[in-house]
Amino acid sequence: MGNAFRNKDGKYIDYTQILRFTFDGKIYQGYKGDTLASALLANGVHLLGRSFKYHRPRGIVAAGADEPNALVTVQRDHARTTPNVKATQVELYEGLIAESQNRWPNLRFDVGALNTLISNFIPAGFYYKTFMWPRQAWGKFYEPFIRGVAGLGVAPTEADPDRYSQRFAHCDVLVVGAGRAGLAAAMEAAEKGLRVLICDEQNMFGGSLLSNADVQSTESLLQTMEKLHQYSKVTCLKRTIAFGYFPHNMIGLCERLTEHLPNPAKGDVRERLWQVRARHVILATGALERPLVFPGNDRPGVMLAGAARTYLNRYGVLPGKNIACVVGHDNGYLAALELQQAGATIAVIADVRTKPVGRYIEQARQAGLPIRSGMTVTGTGGYRRVRNISVAPIVNGNIDASDTIRCDTVLMTGGYTPSVHLFSQSRGKLEWKSEQNAYIPSQSTENLSSVGSAAGLAGNDRGVIGALPMTNKSTAFVDWQNDVTVKDIDLATREGFHSIEHIKRYTTSGMATDQGKTSNINTLGIVSNILQKPVPEIGLTTFRMPYTPVSFGIFAGFARGDLFDPVRTTPMHSWAIEQNAVFEDVSLWKRARYFPRNSESMNEAVARECLAVRASCGLFDASTLGKIEVVGPDAAEFLNRMYINAWSKLTVGKCRYGVLCREDGFVMDDGVVGRLATDRFHLTTTTGGAARVLAMMEDYLQTEWQDLQVWLTSTTEQWAVIAVQGPRARDIIAPLISGIDISAHAFPHMSIGEGTIHGITMRLMRVSFTGELGYEINVPADHGRAIWEAIYEAGQAHGITPYGTEAMHVLRAEKGYVIIGQETDGTATPDDVGLSWAIGKAKPDYVGKRALIRQAMQAPTRKQLVGLLTLDDQVVLEEGAQICATAANTPPMQLIGHVTSSYYSATLGRSIALAMVAGGRTCYGKTLYVLMPSAAIPVTLTAPVFYDEKGEQVNG
Amino acid sequence: MLLIKCPYCGERSELEFSYGGQAHIVRPLIPSDITDEALTEYLYHRDNIKGVQAERWRHLHGCGRFFNAVRDTTTDHFQATYKIGEAQPASGAKSDG
């Protein structure tokens, strides 16, 4: 079948460029300028899909973004498959491949259509009512079944290979919609010399002008475009949908760049997100045509009258040859006149109004069209295509005997509904105008104006809303896409759903991908009629973004793969890679987790690394630690107020372990603070807490303690930190260091000093997170790798061994050193984790002091840090496992704690664990049970120190 | 996305700012002296106004300064932004939504 329904008068069709495409495997021809919908109609194809719930045959209803039925899958390859696109918005290109949806085995014969036979048994709320009982059946039967039948279209199976970009833009005036009103507004702003951005969702500007038959429309459009292009400050964006209106005149636009091309070049940007900040927004979004609600209004071949005009005038396509029109608005007569002019037969114009008068009606009379007024529709015939329509007069409010009239197309129109989606998204107030049968923009909160039919409808032709008089309500569709009928709405109101918000959710009317563009107002009309309440009293559901579906890709933009998040690496990262380190993510950092040798497993490598630290020396990259330089005459006083510790007596050249609480008394972070001068401190934080700590300190400094003269500088990235830990540490670094006497008596544990190492400036701290003699060497980041290598070289004779975060965790757990965020969870006080010794008790105040003296914060039953030793010393507990006082493993059980850290300790030759247990410190020696998937595992409670309890090694 | 006027830098996109909760909650001079009830009020109780409220913002990815703002939560419109330590400016008509 070749373009049997095409004439040569399509204004925006390039008849010289023939395009071949396939739909459900069959090859068709169209022309440049066609949409998939217009090309299929030109070939006489009306059946495009099956409906969601009943699998009824469905065709094309509209010509644009409001299309509820004609959803197809457009496929380029396995990764570039887009389901649920509206055939009315797919621009035809050579070789386009489209498939229908929601049918099996094929579109013409679909097994799912059996649902139609049982449609009486699938009313509104069917799933809520049916799949309630028995409860056990939910997971086994109901959920798999519902998942099987739910959903429309099939998502692509491979990752999206396309590129998406994002950009910001600023303008004086943003015009949304390039129809008659939008173009006029843009022109006016351009003439004033303003920066203008105008966008339209279609592939060309013009809006409804593109659908008009008259020559003037075309000419004025051409002239306007020519003039507009002369202004350098005007940006025109076609194929660009304004999908969201955000506060302070921020509008989200989605520009489609390659969707219409037969072979987009590799690397081309497919879609671009524009985030536009406009001084003023002009909404020229036009109006959407309203369908009529009558029995059988969903058959393929039933179409909006305005859509038929678009197909005829813009694309040169007749939707049919023998056309019946059901009209509630004068525009239906215009469609009938134009189609008759183009050679179609008008079988009937059934006007649902009693005494229609108007210009087009007069013209239709003069043209001899068969007009019948005061009518309703009692049904339509045909299966895969409408074949007849039954119309009946309303006499004294009753439906009289009906006539059945043969036809191949039914056009319907109920009038127009202003597109107020974006206005409503902007939190503007809408006002119901009964003389227009429409909600129109009223008070706005943003700097915007609505123009053209988006602002309200001209003239006095209000059309009709709601349903036509009918008896058979089960095939009168209100929402085509979600298969909602008048009967469903009827039922919902009878079951007590009277608010439109409830009716929407119960019947799902307006909840499909078209978001009720065609159905919302008719639903309101039907409910208003049933409840005998004026429309404004029914309420109005919220318009939400996006106006039409947009790809997730535009929101991701370039932030995928390696660019998903910034990756932070330390100055020694490249060395660790060369040594085959295995890395782990710690916040944004890549940290070396362990350094496997040969074919070592992680456990083997970690055991070797731990033993090396205890026996000779380990080398560890601690550069990720947060570092803050605290400077100023009041620096010590500031630290006094922030930390739980006392700082005034910390002498220059000394360090102290510091604990930071929030104002509510719970531990927030920890680290080491070293005093370099009376007014200068070097402070470290946890790796993940660096930004948080700095923000908190700035907050207090800027808002509460403006009296203090203190300056904070983040130095995390400035220093590379090399930890040298183990009994041989001093022997290894001593030959490299000058300017500091690092002998045991001159530079004891918790010292800080400045000197040089291998000729490079250095801040040296004698600190230990392993329990061994240890140093943390801070050098400028640029020298990090060189100094690291120098130490590694110098340590070869001593068996120096690089170790990773995993060994670091084991070593510190052997000593019972806590990790903030592992032992603590935001509800632990310093005392809970055994740190009450750090509190400067004589201080009048510090952050969290007041909260810590509340009764509950001192309750003896709080969870406290303890050690756990399994009776079977080779069993390693699971971190996070719950702890119980008894072995009985049957719920309900009282859980008294949980495991926070658990490792196999090579040093001790057994497993160890740290845990938080209620009142745990009073229960050392007691046996408790850790609940693991295999069994309840008996453990002995101990103090949370497993190695060198007297702490002698650290002072070596 | 909000457009926020930093009192030090001028109008910038919300992307540059972090939100800091309700404004004008003053830390007691000597917290140890206050009652449990006053502590609870200070730590946990916050207004949640549908309408005009004063709140803290920080120009985190800009000058780094904290400041206060008066915003109508029903429209997101800022009535004023002002420096820490300054009194809350008298606001326009209170919106009750």
Side-chain angles (χ1 to χ4, degrees):
Chain A
M1 203 185 321
N3 284 265
F5 292 85
R6 175 92 66 180
N7 66 26
K8 290 286 170 197
D9 301 325
K11 286 185 169 177
Y12 300 98
I13 290 293
D14 180 351
Y15 290 93
T16 65
Q17 288 197 55
I18 296 170
L19 303 177
R20 284 150 50 94
F21 67 100
T22 63
F23 177 64
D24 278 352
K26 195 172 169 193
I27 297 173
Y28 297 93
Q29 276 186 8
Y31 294 106
K32 177 95 180 153
D34 262 327
T35 62
L36 176 61
S38 68
L40 285 170
L41 287 175
N43 285 279
V45 178
H46 277 254
L47 175 63
L48 256 71
R50 291 275 176 167
S51 75
F52 182 47
K53 194 163 147 190
Y54 305 129
H55 291 250
R56 287 172 68 95
R58 288 286 166 81
I60 296 160
V61 172
D66 49 336
E67 173 59 43
N69 265 354
L71 300 184
V72 297
T73 299
V74 175
Q75 194 177 338
R76 289 188 194 271
D77 54 44
H78 286 302
R80 291 184 181 82
T81 295
T82 314
N84 298 335
V85 291
K86 300 172 180 84
T88 52
Q89 290 189 301
V90 176
E91 287 179 53
L92 203 64
Y93 54 78
E94 176 66 29
L96 181 137
I97 300 168
E99 295 274 337
S100 60
Q101 301 181 164
N102 219 35
R103 81 291 190 267
W104 185 85
N106 62 52
L107 183 56
R108 291 181 64 78
F109 177 76
D110 171 30
V111 167
L114 290 171
N115 276 8
T116 302
L117 301 178
I118 56 161
S119 66
N120 280 337
F121 305 103
I122 346 182
F126 172 71
Y127 287 79
Y128 302 130
K129 289 166 181 164
T130 311
F131 299 110
M132 299 274 291
W133 184 91
R135 198 174 157 188
Q136 289 80 356
W138 178 255
K140 286 195 189 107
F141 177 70
Y142 294 152
E143 189 184 326
F145 168 75
I146 292 173
R147 287 196 186 281
V149 299
L152 216 49
V154 180
T157 51
E158 289 172 27
D160 189 342
D162 285 319
R163 280 159 63 92
Y164 299 85
S165 82
Q166 300 175 331
R167 63 170 290 182
F168 289 91
H170 298 262
C171 61
D172 297 310
V173 177
L174 169 69
V175 182
V176 181
R180 196 196 303 267
L183 287 170
M187 188 61 81
E188 195 182 316
E191 281 162 1
K192 286 181 189 155
L194 299 173
R195 272 189 304 171
V196 179
L197 206 153
I198 176 168
C199 68
D200 195 280
E201 64 184 345
Q202 298 210 51
N203 61 347
M204 55 192 300
F205 280 13
S208 64
L209 292 173
L210 302 173
S211 303
N212 286 349
D214 59 288
V215 185
Q216 298 93 305
S217 290
T218 319
E219 278 176 2
S220 84
L221 179 59
L222 273 174
Q223 284 165 10
T224 308
M225 290 312 299
E226 202 172 307
K227 265 202 270 179
L228 211 52
H229 285 312
Q230 286 165 7
Y231 290 99
S232 60
K233 286 160 108 178
V234 175
T235 307
C236 296
L237 295 175
K238 56 190 179 185
R239 298 190 180 93
T240 303
I241 179 86
F243 64 83
Y245 202 124
F246 306 97
H248 299 180
N249 269 3
M250 168 69 82
I251 317 293
L253 311 179
C254 174
E255 183 184 13
R256 287 168 285 123
L257 295 154
T258 60
E259 214 60 0
H260 60 290
L261 301 175
N263 293 303
K266 200 167 183 287
D268 274 1
V269 171
R270 181 180 178 219
E271 288 175 18
R272 178 180 292 131
L273 170 69
W274 289 73
Q275 288 169 273
V276 181
R277 180 85 66 182
R279 214 174 285 283
H280 191 83
V281 174
I282 292 175
L283 298 175
T285 45
L288 292 171
E289 193 173 14
R290 202 159 52 233
L292 290 170
V293 180
F294 54 83
N297 64 348
D298 68 324
R299 279 191 215 294
V302 180
M303 181 185 284
L304 289 164
R309 290 189 57 226
T310 303
Y311 288 117
L312 177 66
N313 297 324
R314 177 170 175 179
Y315 303 107
V317 173
L318 275 89
K321 297 196 166 155
N322 186 22
I323 297 171
C325 301
V326 191
V327 302
H329 184 275
D330 293 0
N331 191 51
Y333 290 87
L334 179 58
L337 283 162
E338 290 177 355
L339 283 159
Q340 191 204 30
Q341 192 80 37
T345 306
I346 303 300
V348 66
I349 299 180
D351 199 318
V352 303
R353 302 166 298 182
T354 42
K355 285 177 186 160
V357 283
R359 179 158 64 106
Y360 295 133
I361 298 161
E362 203 43 51
Q363 287 177 22
R365 281 216 175 85
Q366 284 169 12
L369 298 185
I371 302 170
R372 298 166 73 174
S373 57
M375 304 295 286
T376 191
V377 178
T378 58
T380 61
Y383 185 62
R384 296 185 188 108
R385 174 84 185 261
V386 67
R387 292 178 63 179
N388 59 57
I389 183 167
S390 299
V391 296
I394 302 291
V395 178
N396 298 326
N398 296 315
I399 304 172
D400 210 354
S402 67
D403 282 345
T404 299
I405 298 162
R406 287 193 70 85
C407 60
D408 63 3
T409 303
V410 172
L411 301 187
M412 60 179 169
T413 181
Y416 287 86
T417 302
S419 285
V420 294
H421 307 73
L422 288 174
F423 177 82
S424 180
Q425 281 184 32
S426 81
R427 296 195 249 189
K429 294 245 189 325
L430 295 169
E431 186 186 1
W432 176 254
K433 289 276 186 201
S434 55
E435 68 272 21
Q436 296 182 27
N437 265 339
Y439 274 104
I440 64 157
S442 166
Q443 204 185 338
S444 56
T445 61
E446 296 284 358
N447 190 3
L448 66 82
S449 34
S450 298
V451 298
S453 44
L457 305 170
N460 54 6
D461 192 356
R462 64 205 284 260
V464 294
I465 63 166
L468 301 185
M470 68 179 73
T471 48
N472 177 14
K473 296 173 179 174
S474 61
T475 61
F477 285 85
V478 185
D479 184 323
W480 277 254
Q481 203 171 111
N482 268 355
D483 269 355
V484 181
T485 65
V486 176
K487 192 183 170 199
D488 294 321
I489 296 174
D490 224 24
L491 180 67
T493 55
R494 274 189 281 126
E495 291 186 352
F497 297 96
H498 288 188
S499 154
I500 195 66
E501 296 283 0
H502 296 150
I503 291 167
K504 171 180 170 177
R505 282 155 185 81
Y506 193 59
T507 65
T508 72
S509 182
M511 287 172 67
T513 67
D514 63 347
Q515 287 285 289
K517 288 184 179 64
T518 47
S519 62
N520 276 353
I521 291 291
N522 278 335
T523 305
L524 287 179
I526 292 165
V527 176
S528 159
N529 193 38
I530 293 172
L531 300 179
Q532 289 297 304
K533 280 185 187 170
V535 170
E537 283 180 33
I538 309 296
L540 182 64
T541 54
T542 313
F543 293 89
R544 298 186 202 282
M545 77 117 181
Y547 172 70
T548 53
V550 292
S551 303
F552 281 124
I554 60 165
F555 300 110
F558 293 110
R560 43 197 285 196
D562 287 346
L563 300 179
F564 177 67
D565 241 356
V567 175
R568 302 178 78 179
T569 56
T570 71
M572 289 79 93
H573 186 75
S574 54
W575 188 89
I577 288 176
E578 289 161 24
Q579 301 291 316
N580 297 319
V582 174
F583 291 88
E584 69 168 335
D585 292 335
V586 181
S587 59
L588 296 176
W589 291 98
K590 295 282 177 205
R591 298 195 75 177
R593 194 174 183 195
Y594 56 99
F595 294 83
R597 281 185 190 163
N598 305 322
S599 56
E600 269 181 342
S601 68
M602 179 172 95
N603 288 345
E604 288 163 349
V606 170
R608 174 179 50 73
E609 291 169 14
C610 286
L611 291 171
V613 172
R614 297 276 181 234
S616 59
C617 189
L619 190 61
F620 179 70
D621 181 357
S623 305
T624 64
L625 286 181
K627 294 171 277 292
I628 301 169
E629 191 92 343
V630 183
V631 182
D634 298 317
E637 172 60 14
F638 174 66
L639 295 177
N640 267 336
R641 296 188 193 181
M642 290 301 309
Y643 284 84
I644 68 173
N645 318 63
W647 301 101
S648 308
K649 288 182 184 150
L650 183 73
T651 54
V652 172
K654 293 293 172 202
C655 298
R656 189 169 284 168
Y657 172 71
V659 178
L660 204 57
C661 282
R662 300 188 309 232
E663 201 69 83
D664 60 10
F666 297 122
V667 175
M668 174 181 152
D669 207 82
D670 69 353
V672 171
V673 178
R675 191 165 204 169
L676 293 159
T678 52
D679 61 351
R680 180 176 294 267
F681 292 83
H682 177 107
L683 175 163
T684 68
T685 74
T686 59
T687 295
R692 199 159 50 230
V693 169
L694 183 64
M696 175 186 177
M697 289 183 167
E698 278 290 344
D699 193 347
Y700 278 93
L701 211 48
Q702 290 185 34
T703 66
E704 295 292 349
W705 303 326
Q706 292 184 318
D707 54 316
L708 297 182
Q709 288 201 56
V710 179
W711 291 269
L712 306 174
T713 309
S714 166
T715 54
T716 303
E717 304 264 358
Q718 273 60 47
W719 296 110
V721 184
I722 302 161
V724 187
Q725 301 276 318
R728 312 297 290 274
R730 187 187 299 112
D731 301 336
I732 293 170
I733 64 168
L736 298 170
I737 286 177
S738 56
I740 307 177
D741 175 3
I742 64 164
S743 60
H745 67 277
F747 203 72
H749 185 49
M750 300 312 270
S751 297
I752 185 169
E754 290 173 290
T756 61
I757 180 164
H758 206 59
I760 301 299
T761 325
M762 158 194 73
R763 275 185 190 173
L764 182 67
M765 298 165 87
R766 184 168 166 193
V767 289
S768 173
F769 199 45
T770 58
E772 301 297 334
L773 160 67
Y775 300 89
E776 286 182 4
I777 299 160
N778 293 257
V779 290
D782 287 350
H783 298 282
R785 179 167 172 162
I787 300 302
W788 173 281
E789 286 182 287
I791 297 170
Y792 185 61
E793 186 63 37
Q796 286 305 311
H798 305 269
I800 196 166
T801 302
Y803 66 100
T805 50
E806 199 61 31
M808 177 268 281
H809 281 139
V810 179
L811 294 164
R812 64 90 206 177
E814 289 169 351
K815 287 293 296 172
Y817 297 152
V818 300
I819 287 183
I820 303 302
Q822 183 148 347
E823 271 63 48
T824 69
D825 60 2
T827 65
T829 67
D831 185 57
D832 293 345
V833 284
L835 297 174
S836 54
W837 58 267
I839 295 175
K841 295 180 181 65
K843 291 201 297 182
D845 186 21
Y846 59 82
V847 173
K849 181 181 170 85
R850 175 60 186 85
L852 284 171
I853 59 176
R854 284 186 303 170
Q855 210 177 357
M857 301 293 258
Q858 306 186 13
T861 52
R862 293 187 64 81
K863 283 188 182 177
Q864 294 165 339
L865 180 71
V866 295
L868 299 180
L869 291 173
T870 47
L871 296 197
D872 176 350
D873 64 13
Q874 297 304 300
V875 172
V876 180
L877 298 168
E878 258 181 47
E879 290 178 354
Q882 295 292 316
I883 300 169
C884 203
T886 60
N889 200 354
T890 41
M893 293 169 294
Q894 199 188 353
L895 304 172
I896 56 171
H898 62 278
V899 178
T900 58
S901 295
S902 175
Y903 311 98
Y904 185 80
S905 163
T907 308
L908 303 168
R910 61 154 303 142
S911 67
I912 55 166
L914 298 173
M916 296 294 286
V917 174
R921 277 204 288 269
T922 59
C923 304
Y924 293 164
K926 228 174 132 179
T927 301
L928 298 179
Y929 298 86
V930 174
L931 307 178
M932 298 251 289
S934 52
I937 303 207
V939 294
T940 307
L941 229 65
T942 69
V945 190
F946 305 99
Y947 171 79
D948 182 26
E949 284 172 43
K950 291 180 185 154
E952 288 164 343
Q953 297 286 19
V954 79
N955 292 315
Chain B
M1 198 188 328
L2 305 179
L3 191 62
I4 303 172
K5 187 179 175 187
C6 168
Y8 303 93
C9 307
E11 284 192 328
R12 295 286 194 281
S13 157
E14 185 186 339
L15 289 174
E16 297 182 16
F17 296 84
S18 60
Y19 183 69
Q22 189 177 339
H24 302 297
I25 291 170
V26 180
R27 188 173 190 269
L29 265 184
I30 305 167
S32 305
D33 291 350
I34 64 173
T35 62
D36 278 358
E37 288 70 30
L39 176 72
T40 304
E41 185 67 29
Y42 166 64
L43 281 182
Y44 301 116
H45 290 180
R46 295 292 181 269
D47 296 336
N48 187 15
I49 298 169
K50 185 178 184 184
V52 176
Q53 70 175 20
E55 57 197 20
R56 288 152 33 96
W57 286 87
R58 185 182 180 204
H59 194 187
L60 181 63
H61 304 294
C63 64
R65 306 288 285 268
F66 283 83
F67 59 91
N68 291 330
V70 176
R71 182 175 61 105
D72 187 333
T73 57
T74 62
T75 62
D76 271 334
H77 282 225
F78 285 99
Q79 297 184 351
T81 54
Y82 51 102
K83 295 175 182 175
I84 295 293
E86 292 177 359
Q88 179 179 343
S91 77
K94 279 222 172 188
S95 165
D96 56 11

